Amino acid sequence: MSTLLSPPRPVGSYRQLLRLAGPAYVLVAFLGRLPLAMSQLGTLLLVSNATGSYGLGGLAAGSLAVANAVGAPLAESVADRIGQRPVVLVQSLLGALGLSGLVLCVHADLSSQAIVTMAAVAGLILPQVGPLARVRWRPITADSDAPQQRRLVDAAFSYEGAADEASFALGPALVGLAAVAVSPGGALLLAAALLAVFGTAFALDPSARLTHAARLGVARIGSGRLLTATFGVLALGQLSIGMLFGGTQTGATVLAVEAGQPGVAGLIHATLGVGSAVAGIATAYLPARIGHERRALAAAAALLVLSLPLLLADGLVAVIGVVLVLGCAVAPYMIAVFSLAERVVPAHRVGTAMTLLAGSTGIGYAVGSSVAGRLGDARGSTAAFAVTIGASALALTVMSTQQRRLRRAVAASH
């Protein structure tokens, strides 16, 4: 009897989520997030290769990320009113055109200002499929009783964190392979094609309407504040992980070029996502009594400890090994931050909160890649990787000093 009454194991939760959403939705939602994961490194490689400047490449990639951080929450606020389907459909088609336009601008040898501007235009209209997919799980699981739904949503967020990290492993890997097989421009055109196909499929999936109907149902529950001090802490936490991504990706690019193998840059960064994806799936096995604020603190400490060997790694093989292990702390950190946000913001603002946090990650990426690009131009890959370590230190500082605030916010949300 005790076995029958015990909560379902994580594997059972994942199976139930797959049954509720359907395999086709899970596949489309994963493939739909690849273009964004490809766009930043693709832009960095394209511009750096064409101009010979890591600084300009980092600036263009950072401009794309910052513009996306601005555009995605605005698009989500519109989706809150009219639903995800028309918004994501327009974003997918225009985003594909934007990435294609960026390739044309670079190959037309336009000015640096024009290239950076076009990168920003492309970033402004790219959809953030990962945050949008997170929003859909609550209505997808709405027919479950409250305790079971809480477990399913937690498992869904663990899966989404792993899926994000897997996309940021596969995306850069695809960029690296396409850059070697065709060209850096070909890599971005591949991202544009994937966005046009799978972004559109994600927009047209029936769950988009289900989410909109759920939001209409909660619209009557007060206005609720989104931009609180607690949410600011979470946004700063995500900004730091974005800086880690930017520093690591740029450092890997500089190192690969130094070694005479520029196409390997995507594969190096991909290893960060491999370890992260595995660790993300495993977080569903953590006991519920370990709060997400404590998980974020532990993961932040691991980020700092595991990033320090980057200063000593002196070759491609060594860096790949360090980055693979470092990735094991990334997804647990991000899952904890997104799960905290899902708990502490008003129910009808969760979608906007998810995209704002993803936007903070993008801004952090812009800062990290830009600073690391300049350091890489001046002093090489080791200096660029110092940005990764600084970002880890920032994450640990934020989470270690804000534990009490986060605990209070979670307790007040019950």
Side-chain angles (χ1 to χ4, degrees):
M1 181 66 71
S2 60
T3 302
L4 294 175
L5 295 177
S6 62
R9 296 176 61 84
V11 172
S13 295
Y14 287 135
R15 287 174 179 166
Q16 189 167 356
L17 290 172
L18 183 63
R19 179 180 61 80
L20 290 172
Y25 167 75
V26 173
L27 179 63
V28 164
F30 175 74
L31 295 177
R33 70 189 80 195
L34 286 180
L36 183 60
M38 298 172 67
S39 64
Q40 294 172 350
L41 180 60
T43 299
L44 177 64
L45 286 178
L46 173 66
V47 178
S48 297
N49 183 69
T51 64
S53 170
Y54 299 118
L56 181 57
L59 180 60
S63 297
L64 184 147
V66 169
N68 188 252
V70 174
L74 293 176
E76 176 59 28
S77 67
V78 175
D80 282 339
R81 294 193 295 271
I82 67 174
Q84 286 188 11
R85 173 167 290 182
V87 175
V88 180
L89 183 60
V90 170
Q91 284 183 296
S92 298
L93 297 177
L94 291 183
L97 291 175
L99 292 176
S100 301
L102 177 57
V103 176
L104 292 176
C105 285
V106 173
H107 284 294
D109 200 23
L110 298 185
S111 66
S112 299
Q113 183 178 359
I115 291 172
V116 172
T117 300
M118 189 63 214
V121 170
L124 190 68
I125 51 183
L126 287 176
Q128 291 184 1
V129 172
L132 294 170
R134 282 180 173 87
V135 177
R136 297 189 186 187
W137 285 112
R138 182 169 290 278
I140 286 173
T141 60
D143 290 338
S144 306
D145 59 61
Q148 184 183 39
Q149 186 184 34
R150 179 73 269 165
R151 290 191 296 269
L152 288 174
V153 171
D154 281 345
F157 271 56
S158 293
Y159 162 75
E160 290 294 340
D164 280 343
E165 296 311 312
S167 73
F168 278 96
L170 182 57
L174 288 175
V175 169
L177 291 173
V180 171
V182 184
S183 68
L188 271 188
L189 291 178
L190 174 60
L194 289 172
L195 180 59
V197 174
F198 294 106
T200 297
F202 178 75
L204 298 179
D205 188 87
S207 60
R209 287 183 174 175
L210 181 63
T211 303
H212 181 45
R215 288 185 180 170
L216 290 176
V218 299
R220 303 185 183 92
I221 307 176
S223 58
R225 290 182 59 199
L226 171 60
L227 301 180
T228 62
T230 301
F231 187 77
V233 169
L234 299 176
L236 183 57
Q238 279 304 113
L239 182 120
S240 66
I241 207 70
M243 290 175 59
L244 183 145
F245 289 149
T248 304
Q249 198 169 87
T250 304
T253 301
V254 175
L255 179 65
V257 173
E258 289 173 346
Q261 302 182 57
V264 177
L267 299 178
I268 295 175
H269 189 71
T271 61
L272 182 73
V274 171
S276 189
V278 173
I281 289 291
T283 58
Y285 289 84
L286 291 174
R289 65 177 181 275
I290 303 177
H292 288 287
E293 70 282 354
R294 292 165 60 193
R295 298 183 190 186
L297 175 59
L303 286 172
L304 180 57
V305 171
L306 297 176
S307 65
L308 289 173
L310 285 172
L311 295 179
L312 303 176
D314 57 358
L316 292 175
V317 175
V319 168
I320 288 173
V322 173
V323 169
L324 177 64
V325 177
L326 174 62
C328 294
V330 172
Y333 178 87
M334 293 184 63
I335 290 167
V337 171
F338 276 96
S339 296
L340 284 167
E342 194 269 339
R343 282 165 167 74
V344 303
V345 304
H348 59 292
R349 306 298 299 277
V350 170
T352 304
M354 296 296 107
T355 51
L356 283 172
L357 289 180
S360 297
T361 311
I363 292 174
Y365 174 87
V367 174
S369 62
S370 180
V371 173
R374 294 191 179 192
L375 290 174
D377 280 334
R379 300 184 180 180
S381 58
T382 301
F385 282 132
V387 175
T388 300
I389 296 165
S392 301
L394 176 60
L396 180 57
T397 300
V398 171
M399 291 303 159
S400 61
T401 60
Q402 299 299 315
Q403 286 291 293
R404 182 177 299 178
R405 183 190 299 277
L406 294 172
R407 281 196 298 269
R408 286 201 304 261
V410 171
S413 68
H414 291 325

